[in-house]
Amino acid sequence: MKVTIKSWTGVATWRWIANDDNCGICRMPFDSCCPDCKLPGDECPLVWGACSHCFHIHCIVKWLHSQPQQQCPMCRQDWKFNNK
Amino acid sequence: MSGIAKTSVLVEEGGNQCRKRSNISASSDQCSKRSKFDDMSSNEKKSNFSMLNPNVNGTIKMTTSSMNKPGATTKKLVIKNFKSKPNLPENYQETTWSKLREAVIAIQTSKAIAYSLEELYQAVENMCSHKMASQLYVNLTNLVEAHVKSNIEQFLSESMDRQVFLKRMDDCWRAHCRQMIMIRSIFLYLDRTYVLQNPSIHSIWDMGLDLFRHHIAMNTLIQTRTVDGLLTLIERERGGDAVDISLLKSLLRMLSDLQIYQDAFEHKFLQATERLYCAEGQRLMRELAVPQYLAHVEKRLREENERLLHYLDPCTKWQLIHTVERQLLSEHVSGVLSKGLESLMDGPRLRDLATLYSLFSRVKDGLTELCSHFNAYIKKKGRTIVIEPERDKTMVAELLEFKEQLDNVVSTCFQRNDRFLYSMREAFEHFINQRQNKPAELIAKFVDLKLRAGNKEATEEELERLLDKIMVLFRFIHGKDVFEAFYKKDLAKRLLVGKSASVDAEKSMLSKLKQECGGGFTCKLEGMFKDMELSKDINITYKQHLSASSECGGLELSVYILTMGFWPTYAAVEVRLPGELTRHQEHFAKFYLAKHSGRKLQWQATLGHCVLRAHFTQGNKELQVSLFQALVLLLFNDGDNLSFEDIKTATNIEEGELRRTLQSLACGKARVLMKTPRGRDVQDRDHFAFNADFTNKLFRIKINQIQMKETSEEQKATEERVFQDRQYQIDAAIVRVMKMRKALSHNLLISELYNQLKFPVKPADLKKRIESLIDRDYMERDKDNPNQYNYVA
Ligand SMILES: [Zn+2]
Ligand SMILES: [Zn+2]
Ligand SMILES: [Zn+2]
């Protein structure tokens, strides 16, 4: 062997696995956080519904609190959290 | 006799100080002892002798007219005298007066007085006591008038040298004052009884002045000759000739004492001044450079002030100085500025600028004009710095220097005047935005250069000061998002390649930006720093995870995990990794995603780098290389002579990138590959072999990746991203405003947007975005009012 690798510093970018670019509630892109947060990441995670729509967790929680029925704002199906 | 001697000594010095001297003689021991008037207040004494008190003026005129018809007064007094004192010798009044008359004439003709002063004082007192004061006063007046009249002739001859004339006038005036002082001291009793009791009667001193004024100074020919002579003398003195200053001073004091200074002299003098400086200003503005001209004006003002000190009456001051300022400065304000300001500023000639400022602050609108020319100068000069692409390399350094120079001028020459500071800021903001985007980009790059490792030109304090200065320039930039885009790109490089000179300096710059533009501006930049810290934690836990499981030994992998939204956008590049690297990469991804669900990772091959162990015949080395360089070198473990095409297929690195990579390995400073045929550029047909004989005195060798020159395309791409981002920000702002207001007219919406948006934008662009949002059903046009929008929930 003429050359072997001693160490490797890699770089990777992460983004949410989402079915849309923007949150359907706050309309901010998923690459940034909800309007109430400062930085995207673990402090402002996304959640998925059984209907497969996803939102900022802060957005859907607020939405559900404001509604008499627990429905997905996009498809009006009953909202159930899908723990991926 | 001693009394005479004393009096003549006192008056010898001349007429100029007659007022002062008369006080002395009046209050001197001998005088007061003899005349027994110790109880007189000094105020009363003064008002008797001073001609400068304007109240006296009115009295003079009144009495002058009453003296013109003395007959009535005389008769009345004569009758009274005889009634009260009948026992005087019959010719007492006549003989006594002739004695006094003789003495006065002796004084007027500079002869010795035949009687002792004691005797004369007594004579005056006796006459006054016997009600002869009025007649005595009339007689004395006539005597003085006759003498003054006899002096007229000498001033009326056809032709006379001006200097001789003035000298003669001065002699005549001084003699008059001298004589009147002596006469007054003899007739002091009259002054202090009869004159005091009759407010309409002049004091003896004033009576003398009045006669002198009436017969000599107010004579048209004599007055014209005197004033013209004085003006000629002053003109010569202004021209630089040495003239008899004391003569000037004495004669001007004469005019003041006679109360004709303003009417007879001042007006003509100011006219002459105006003419002189009008012509001089015009001539010198043509002949002299501005600094010399300003120095000349300063000199002229100084000289005129000295003139006021040395011979002019102080009451002329305001008008005189104002006249000079008007003719030499006010008339030439814009001339001086357009002719000279630019070169003074370019110098910068600080002393001349300070002179300019102090002179212009004397005249109306002087500073306003200076300020507006200063402003125009900054805009013009600044524009040349930012507008020409050839000067881009030095633009920021030049701007910093320019700003510093202007600061210096304003603080040392313009007294830190707020108006100038404000104007300077306005001008900077104006010219720096004359060119779109470029100044913002270059300022960002300038900061990068200073924050990059290896910048040894500054200590930490110096760097801090420099960053502060940069922030001043940054403040003027309208397109701050352009700055942010370029700054972010460079910051990413510094962080990922470990090229940042100091974390403290980075954080300091970040806090400056935050202070200037608010948290919204820096939150992504802060996010980048946060990613770096989180990555450090992740790598520690990953290492612990590895040592626990003993999987994936061999190479040591650490990964920077970047949050997509914070960092610049990197094009996804797919390259072929050797199995070992793929295995490590997948292992890490599995570890990471298990901890962070709902995410996906995108590997950025262009940003990775490695440390390789390389075995050469001369010994082992450690090579610090980019991932691409590593991928190429690893190929030589299995083959020896590889073509460009072979390498391209094996690694799948993009052609241009590969060419630069091979160039760095085979044509750079550390040639670990050998290229055939030799040459600087990498051609498609070239072949490469491992250079087993490679030598280098160092053990660790960094092989720099040849940086692609930042092409105009890459630049455009960054600008394009800024543009895209602006569109998005406009949309977001419109939605935000509409959501809050529900309904809003077009104009109100536009003005709200201008308040919120931090970058330059045209109304037409805003309109386009509104249309687009209407199309996408975020809002709608009101059905009844087309100028109003409604929010669609
Ligand atoms: Zn949301
Ligand atoms: Zn949130
Ligand atoms: Zn749904």
Side-chain angles (χ1 to χ4, degrees):
Chain A
M1 291 291 262
K2 297 162 189 145
V3 183
T4 52
I5 305 177
K6 186 182 173 212
S7 67
W8 173 24
T9 308
V11 178
T13 46
W14 72 266
R15 58 194 308 184
W16 299 108
I17 307 170
N19 45 16
D20 202 350
D21 285 343
N22 301 322
C23 169
I25 298 172
C26 71
R27 287 169 171 169
M28 298 293 279
F30 285 129
D31 282 340
S32 57
C33 55
C34 82
D36 296 334
C37 289
K38 274 181 82 182
L39 299 176
D42 288 342
E43 276 139 48
C44 186
L46 301 199
V47 286
W48 288 260
C51 59
S52 90
H53 283 118
C54 78
F55 306 97
H56 293 114
I57 188 168
H58 301 129
C59 294
I60 188 68
V61 166
K62 234 197 220 166
W63 167 263
L64 294 173
H65 273 300
S66 70
Q67 298 294 313
Q69 279 143 352
Q70 305 292 287
Q71 291 177 341
C72 169
M74 304 302 282
C75 63
R76 301 284 160 184
Q77 292 180 45
D78 283 347
W79 177 265
K80 280 192 192 100
F81 285 102
N82 182 3
N83 293 322
K84 262 199 177 176
Chain B
M1 280 314 278
S2 66
I4 295 176
K6 202 141 223 162
T7 316
S8 55
V9 166
L10 282 167
V11 294
E12 206 77 324
E13 291 156 35
N16 263 318
Q17 288 161 355
C18 53
R19 258 165 298 156
K20 193 167 133 208
R21 220 169 292 117
S22 58
N23 277 341
I24 294 168
S25 74
S27 59
S28 76
D29 279 349
Q30 282 189 342
C31 208
S32 49
K33 212 199 292 170
R34 286 206 172 108
S35 44
K36 300 170 186 127
F37 291 129
D38 305 29
D39 52 338
M40 291 235 358
S41 77
S42 65
N43 243 355
E44 283 168 300
K45 287 176 216 159
K46 244 185 216 159
S47 66
N48 262 343
F49 304 132
S50 170
M51 289 302 293
L52 289 180
N53 184 347
N55 292 333
V56 181
N57 202 14
T59 334
I60 294 163
K61 279 178 188 151
M62 264 171 59
T63 38
T64 311
S65 57
S66 73
M67 277 194 309
N68 287 343
K69 27 183 177 163
T73 331
T74 316
K75 258 181 203 162
K76 235 189 243 169
L77 279 165
V78 169
I79 293 162
K80 273 183 184 174
N81 271 346
F82 274 103
K83 273 182 185 170
S84 54
K85 299 262 178 188
N87 52 347
L88 281 178
E90 221 171 285
N91 58 349
Y92 176 77
Q93 188 174 1
E94 222 167 274
T95 48
T96 314
W97 165 245
S98 82
K99 198 190 280 177
L100 287 168
R101 183 185 136 90
E102 206 179 305
V104 168
I105 289 173
I107 289 169
Q108 288 173 337
T109 51
S110 304
K111 302 240 170 65
I113 305 171
Y115 310 95
S116 77
L117 283 176
E118 181 97 48
E119 201 178 341
L120 293 170
Y121 296 148
Q122 197 58 54
V124 171
E125 195 176 331
N126 286 344
M127 284 185 83
C128 289
S129 315
H130 291 89
K131 311 276 183 192
M132 295 167 196
S134 170
Q135 185 59 51
L136 182 61
Y137 187 87
V138 171
N139 287 344
L140 178 62
T141 306
N142 290 338
L143 207 52
V144 172
E145 182 166 24
H147 179 69
V148 168
K149 274 179 166 172
S150 73
N151 273 319
I152 300 176
E153 203 51 45
Q154 60 175 320
F155 299 114
L156 298 178
S157 59
E158 275 301 308
S159 64
M160 197 188 306
D161 179 73
R162 276 185 171 156
Q163 184 77 23
V164 172
F165 176 90
L166 292 179
K167 195 82 196 127
R168 196 174 285 174
M169 174 58 74
D170 190 43
D171 289 344
C172 176
W173 164 248
R174 282 167 190 260
H176 173 82
C177 292
R178 199 161 53 229
Q179 292 158 12
M180 288 311 292
I181 284 168
M182 288 177 71
I183 291 169
R184 186 193 51 200
S185 72
I186 290 169
F187 287 84
L188 200 63
Y189 193 80
L190 182 66
D191 231 359
R192 302 224 163 144
T193 53
Y194 173 70
V195 169
L196 268 187
Q197 288 151 13
N198 294 276
S200 58
I201 304 283
H202 273 319
S203 72
I204 294 167
W205 174 256
D206 287 351
M207 173 261 282
L209 287 181
D210 197 51
L211 291 170
F212 194 91
R213 171 176 46 241
H214 183 76
H215 292 293
I216 297 181
M218 292 304 282
N219 179 302
T220 317
L221 180 63
I222 298 176
Q223 189 181 93
T224 309
R225 282 183 168 182
T226 309
V227 170
D228 288 353
L230 286 169
L231 291 176
T232 312
L233 213 55
I234 293 172
E235 194 181 322
R236 279 176 46 210
E237 198 253 335
R238 277 173 167 163
D241 286 357
V243 302
D244 186 348
I245 298 288
S246 64
L247 178 63
L248 265 174
K249 183 176 179 172
S250 171
L251 288 172
L252 286 169
R253 277 300 285 274
M254 174 187 83
L255 297 182
S256 292
D257 284 352
L258 296 174
Q259 305 235 320
I260 57 172
Y261 177 88
Q262 275 168 316
D263 293 342
F265 171 77
E266 191 180 48
H267 180 65
K268 280 185 171 177
F269 168 70
L270 291 172
Q271 276 185 328
T273 305
E274 185 121 36
R275 272 196 306 276
L276 171 74
Y277 288 125
C278 174
E280 182 171 291
Q282 283 168 4
R283 180 171 57 82
L284 293 183
M285 271 301 288
R286 276 195 310 273
E287 290 174 3
L288 296 181
V290 165
Q292 282 76 41
Y293 182 79
L294 295 175
H296 180 80
V297 176
E298 258 197 332
K299 180 175 145 250
R300 278 309 200 188
L301 284 167
R302 200 168 50 239
E303 286 172 359
E304 292 301 338
N305 272 302
E306 277 164 13
R307 245 155 238 141
L308 282 161
L309 229 54
H310 290 144
Y311 58 80
L312 292 168
D313 193 291
C315 74
T316 309
K317 177 165 182 157
W318 189 85
Q319 291 190 76
L320 171 63
I321 298 302
H322 194 70
T323 302
V324 179
E325 286 169 353
R326 190 170 55 244
Q327 290 305 330
L328 292 184
L329 289 171
S330 300
E331 289 291 317
H332 303 289
V333 160
S334 60
V336 164
L337 290 172
S338 47
K339 184 178 171 188
L341 185 67
E342 196 170 323
S343 67
L344 292 190
M345 290 295 304
D346 279 344
R349 301 179 58 143
L350 297 178
R351 195 178 300 170
D352 294 330
L353 284 167
T355 307
L356 180 69
Y357 182 89
S358 83
L359 286 176
F360 274 33
S361 60
R362 307 173 72 120
V363 300
K364 189 169 171 285
D365 295 335
L367 291 188
T368 309
E369 284 287 309
L370 174 58
C371 190
S372 85
H373 275 77
F374 175 69
N375 184 282
Y377 167 81
I378 299 172
K379 284 178 180 167
K380 184 180 164 204
K381 177 97 185 280
R383 193 186 145 87
T384 63
I385 298 177
V386 299
I387 213 79
E388 293 160 21
E390 310 91 76
R391 286 171 82 168
D392 283 356
K393 264 189 189 161
T394 53
M395 184 201 289
V396 179
E398 280 185 67
L399 287 176
L400 287 173
E401 198 191 317
F402 188 43
K403 180 71 177 38
E404 194 162 314
Q405 184 185 319
L406 293 169
D407 284 341
N408 189 21
V409 166
V410 172
S411 63
T412 61
C413 311
F414 297 168
Q415 297 180 358
R416 220 175 263 288
N417 185 325
D418 279 348
R419 213 173 353 151
F420 285 78
L421 287 170
Y422 177 80
S423 179
M424 170 165 67
R425 281 185 224 123
E426 190 274 328
F428 253 86
E429 186 171 337
H430 178 267
F431 80 70
I432 215 168
N433 290 297
Q434 292 266 303
R435 187 155 168 220
Q436 290 254 303
N437 303 341
K438 202 68 186 181
E441 177 193 333
L442 292 175
I443 290 172
K445 293 212 170 116
F446 187 87
V447 176
D448 175 53
L449 216 66
K450 298 297 167 191
L451 291 179
R452 223 187 272 169
N455 166 37
K456 288 173 195 124
E457 58 192 287
T459 65
E460 270 189 29
E461 294 87 53
E462 280 168 349
L463 183 59
E464 190 64 26
R465 268 203 301 280
L466 185 65
L467 294 180
D468 281 334
K469 285 180 192 162
I470 290 278
M471 287 308 295
V472 174
L473 294 184
F474 171 75
R475 206 163 289 154
F476 301 129
I477 298 279
H478 285 162
K480 298 210 166 36
D481 47 353
V482 177
F483 171 89
E484 195 233 354
F486 284 98
Y487 186 78
K488 185 156 104 176
K489 211 170 60 154
D490 293 331
L491 173 62
K493 249 181 237 168
R494 292 198 297 277
L495 293 178
L496 296 177
V497 192
K499 265 190 174 170
S500 183
S502 117
V503 181
D504 289 347
E506 294 282 1
K507 291 269 165 79
S508 154
M509 183 66 195
L510 200 61
S511 76
K512 289 182 207 303
L513 289 171
K514 192 170 181 174
Q515 211 177 353
E516 189 63 39
C517 305
F521 184 77
T522 47
C523 80
K524 289 182 178 176
L525 302 175
E526 285 174 79
M528 291 166 75
F529 282 95
K530 185 130 194 256
D531 277 349
M532 296 304 285
E533 281 159 31
L534 287 176
S535 301
K536 210 190 268 170
D537 296 344
I538 291 163
N539 285 311
I540 290 169
T541 39
Y542 182 57
K543 214 171 270 172
Q544 288 162 349
H545 166 80
L546 283 183
S547 61
S549 66
S550 80
E551 304 169 70
C552 264
L555 74 96
E556 197 181 300
L557 170 63
S558 54
V559 182
Y560 290 123
I561 305 288
L562 315 182
T563 305
M564 192 65 178
F566 298 158
W567 296 74
T569 321
Y570 300 109
V573 175
E574 290 298 331
V575 294
R576 197 159 295 129
L577 298 181
E580 191 196 4
L581 294 186
T582 316
R583 208 165 50 248
H584 277 274
Q585 193 171 280
E586 281 167 359
H587 194 261
F588 179 87
K590 209 171 120 200
F591 165 81
Y592 176 81
L593 294 175
K595 288 193 177 301
H596 301 274
S597 60
R599 299 186 181 186
K600 57 188 173 190
L601 282 182
Q602 167 75 53
W603 292 91
Q604 304 290 349
T606 41
L607 301 174
H609 48 100
C610 301
V611 177
L612 301 180
R613 280 196 202 89
H615 311 283
F616 301 106
T617 44
Q618 301 278 328
N620 294 347
K621 300 279 180 197
E622 264 186 28
L623 305 178
Q624 284 175 278
V625 293
S626 72
L627 178 63
F628 288 171
Q629 288 170 326
L631 294 181
V632 170
L633 290 176
L634 286 168
L635 293 178
F636 291 88
N637 285 335
D638 303 325
D640 217 16
N641 196 13
L642 301 174
S643 71
F644 180 79
E645 202 56 39
D646 294 337
I647 299 171
K648 195 177 140 194
T649 317
T651 59
N652 200 27
I653 297 173
E654 184 270 329
E655 201 175 298
E657 194 73 41
L658 180 60
R659 227 180 276 277
R660 282 191 296 278
T661 305
L662 285 166
Q663 209 174 6
S664 70
L665 295 170
C667 315
K669 273 183 191 157
R671 302 186 178 184
V672 290
L673 295 183
M674 289 182 302
K675 183 173 90 84
T676 38
R678 288 159 170 267
R680 281 186 155 268
D681 295 315
V682 173
Q683 310 291 342
D684 288 358
R685 304 235 180 99
D686 289 351
H687 279 68
F688 299 86
F690 188 72
N691 179 13
D693 298 328
F694 174 81
T695 56
N696 196 303
K697 56 181 180 232
L698 296 173
F699 175 67
R700 271 166 183 265
I701 301 153
K702 184 168 168 55
I703 304 179
N704 286 321
Q705 174 77 278
I706 292 175
Q707 289 292 325
M708 181 169 59
K709 262 210 183 141
E710 201 161 61
T711 60
S712 56
E713 273 156 56
E714 204 186 347
Q715 211 131 320
K716 276 220 183 77
T718 306
E719 279 175 25
E720 183 60 30
R721 268 198 299 282
V722 171
F723 179 71
Q724 287 290 337
D725 198 46
R726 283 182 182 178
Q727 308 283 77
Y728 164 72
Q729 284 192 52
I730 295 171
D731 287 3
I734 295 172
V735 171
R736 216 164 36 236
V737 171
M738 290 308 299
K739 190 173 177 181
M740 199 164 66
R741 302 298 195 87
K742 303 301 177 214
L744 211 55
S745 76
H746 176 80
N747 287 346
L748 281 176
L749 174 60
I750 297 289
S751 79
E752 282 258 4
L753 291 175
Y754 272 112
N755 281 336
Q756 294 205 7
L757 298 170
K758 301 252 155 53
F759 46 83
V761 57
K762 293 189 197 92
D765 296 334
L766 293 179
K767 215 165 172 184
K768 247 185 242 162
R769 300 317 302 162
I770 293 171
E771 296 297 337
S772 147
L773 287 168
I774 290 173
D775 288 346
R776 287 181 282 155
D777 290 332
Y778 280 82
M779 55 199 280
E780 63 181 14
R781 231 178 263 283
D782 193 273
K783 286 178 191 74
D784 301 324
N785 181 358
N787 263 328
Q788 177 162 314
Y789 305 115
N790 297 322
Y791 180 64
V792 179

